[in-house]
């Protein structure tokens, strides 16, 4: 039986020190905060975790600290994101060596490739690891989409077990779900404003950046839906919406890190060239968090 991605999995930030080194004590504290908030997994070194700014040595050390702090309380997903197939496979081998539960593989970016080439990319990663893999479609950022027909084909590979759909296109999500019904394959929402809608269409949960800041609210969307409290789930979704909309206040993921700092949770700066939020932007964010009752 295949590993089943499900529930709310925060796309965890990577806390940094003022001189842009990984802040491992802060990382460990954040993990405990997230697990106390009711999340169902930890996703390390993805887009929110600024994977593009980490070298392989940092990648391995982040994973080692994450796995050690999680202590098997929830699954640990590791991002294996790179432009080249060889580089993604190298990250997959590191992740397997240090004990990750599952992998998340983003489409290549910068280059433009066909769906056949994309299939071969993911198939090669899957063929070089024993770990379960969730595909990751973030077409708004990579400008490369995994078409539903390609997802259906990839879902037949034994250790490709799901997809995170961050396209923000619910029609696309629904088509993937429809094409993979009856298969052991999980569709996870990657657009935080569409978690409730995705669950209604048959999604198995979400990989959510906002869960760094509001894990109880995001988990509430899923938990209430799964217990039949559909109205309560929708209310939690609308409660979360202002935070997702606030992403536009700064370059991603600076809003997530600044929100955590306002909550009293050490997050540090984003890796350069992403700049801190302006004083005016911080004031707007603080107002949103107050209205959400996340801070006093």
């Amino acid at each position: 039986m295949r590993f089943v991605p499900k529930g709310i999995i925060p796309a965890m930030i990577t806390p940094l020190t003022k001189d842009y080194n990984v802040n491992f004590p802060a990382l460990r504290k954040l993990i405990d905060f997230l697990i106390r908030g009711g999340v169902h997994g930890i996703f390390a070194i993805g887009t929110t975790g600024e994977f593009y700014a980490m070298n392989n040595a940092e990648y391995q050390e982040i994973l080692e600290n994450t796995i050690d702090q999680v202590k098997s309380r929830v699954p640990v997903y590791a991002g294996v994101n790179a432009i080249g197939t060889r580089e993604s496979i190298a990250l997959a081998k590191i992740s397997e060596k240090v004990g990750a539960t599952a992998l998340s593989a983003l489409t290549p970016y910068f280059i433009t490739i066909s769906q056949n080439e994309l299939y071969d990319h993911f198939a090669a990663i899957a063929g070089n690891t024993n770990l379960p893999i969730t595909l990751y479609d973030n077409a708004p950022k990579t400008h490369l989409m995994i078409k539903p027909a390609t997802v259906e084909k990839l879902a037949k590979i034994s250790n490709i077990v799901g997809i995170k759909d961050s396209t923000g296109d619910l029609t696309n999500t629904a088509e993937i779900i429809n094409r993979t019904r009856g298969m052991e394959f999980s569709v996870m929402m990657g657009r935080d404003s569409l978690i409730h809608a995705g669950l209604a269409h048959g999604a198995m949960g979400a990989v959510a950046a906002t869960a760094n800041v509001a894990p109880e609210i995001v988990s509430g969307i899923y938990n209430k839906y799964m217990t039949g409290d559909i109205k309560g789930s929708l209310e939690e979704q609308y409660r979360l919406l202002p935070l997702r909309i606030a992403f536009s206040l700064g370059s991603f993921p600076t809003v997530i890190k600044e929100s955590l700092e306002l909550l009293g949770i050490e997050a540090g700066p984003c890796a350069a060239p992403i700049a801190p939020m302006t004083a005016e932007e911080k004031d707007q964010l603080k107002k949103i968090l107050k209205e959400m009752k996340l801070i006093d």
Side-chain angles (χ1 to χ4, degrees):
M1 193 170 179
R2 299 210 287 187
F3 173 79
V4 180
K6 62 181 179 179
I8 298 302
I9 303 160
M12 187 174 64
I13 65 149
T14 303
L16 299 179
T17 64
K18 291 180 180 179
D19 53 359
Y20 303 106
N21 293 315
V22 180
N23 186 336
F24 290 106
L27 177 72
R28 288 174 175 270
K29 290 177 183 178
L30 175 62
I31 288 166
D32 286 343
F33 168 74
L34 296 174
I35 293 176
R36 284 197 306 270
V39 302
H40 307 91
I42 296 291
F43 176 21
I45 328 177
T47 308
T48 312
E50 301 175 270
F51 76 86
Y52 44 81
M54 306 296 163
N55 61 40
N56 283 13
E58 290 170 322
Y59 177 92
Q60 179 168 332
E61 195 171 4
I62 292 165
L63 271 185
E64 287 172 339
N65 276 264
T66 298
I67 291 163
D68 182 66
Q69 190 65 27
V70 168
K71 295 179 173 62
S72 300
R73 289 176 286 175
V74 295
V76 174
Y77 298 73
V80 291
N81 309 319
I83 297 174
T85 305
R86 182 178 63 176
E87 290 75 19
S88 289
I89 290 170
L91 294 174
K93 289 186 179 299
I94 292 171
S95 301
E96 189 166 359
K97 180 179 72 173
V98 301
T101 313
L103 307 176
S104 172
L106 179 66
T107 59
Y109 46 97
F110 181 73
I111 58 174
T112 302
I113 60 175
S114 70
Q115 290 295 299
N116 286 338
E117 290 167 321
L118 191 55
Y119 175 89
D120 291 343
H121 170 74
F122 287 123
I125 297 170
N128 281 276
T129 182
N130 294 313
L131 292 179
I133 297 170
T134 56
L135 310 171
Y136 179 12
D137 187 335
N138 195 347
K141 284 187 167 61
T142 66
H143 307 292
L144 179 61
M145 185 175 186
I146 317 172
K147 292 184 178 179
T150 306
V151 176
E152 181 182 7
K153 186 179 176 184
L154 285 163
K156 296 174 184 177
I157 296 174
S158 62
N159 61 331
I160 294 183
V161 299
I163 185 171
K164 175 189 176 184
D165 182 7
S166 296
T167 63
D169 182 346
L170 192 56
T171 300
N172 180 72
T173 308
E175 185 178 356
I176 294 171
I177 292 170
N178 188 42
R179 281 178 173 268
T180 57
R181 283 192 300 169
M183 304 172 73
E184 291 180 298
F185 190 82
S186 299
V187 177
M188 304 290 285
M189 301 306 295
R191 183 62 62 90
D192 296 13
S193 54
L194 295 175
I195 299 171
H196 176 88
L199 293 171
H201 279 79
M204 295 290 286
V207 180
T210 52
N212 282 280
V213 180
E216 293 181 357
I217 296 176
V218 187
S219 295
I221 299 170
Y222 175 82
N223 292 333
K224 290 184 178 183
Y225 191 94
M226 297 306 291
T227 57
D229 183 4
I230 308 304
K231 182 179 179 181
S233 171
L234 183 58
E235 286 301 316
E236 294 286 11
Q237 179 70 82
Y238 281 128
R239 187 181 170 202
L240 180 68
L241 189 58
L243 180 58
R244 176 59 184 83
I245 293 172
F247 281 8
S248 63
L249 291 176
S251 298
F252 191 80
T254 187
V255 171
I256 297 294
K257 287 194 166 183
E258 184 60 36
S259 295
L260 284 166
E261 292 282 349
L262 288 169
L263 265 65
I265 298 170
E266 193 174 7
C270 290
I274 296 175
M277 297 172 69
T278 66
E280 182 181 352
E281 289 167 343
K282 289 180 182 180
D283 286 343
Q284 291 181 60
L285 179 60
K286 190 172 184 179
K287 181 180 179 183
I288 289 167
L289 295 178
K290 283 183 176 180
E291 290 173 350
M292 292 178 68
K293 299 186 180 350
L294 292 173
I295 61 174
D296 295 329

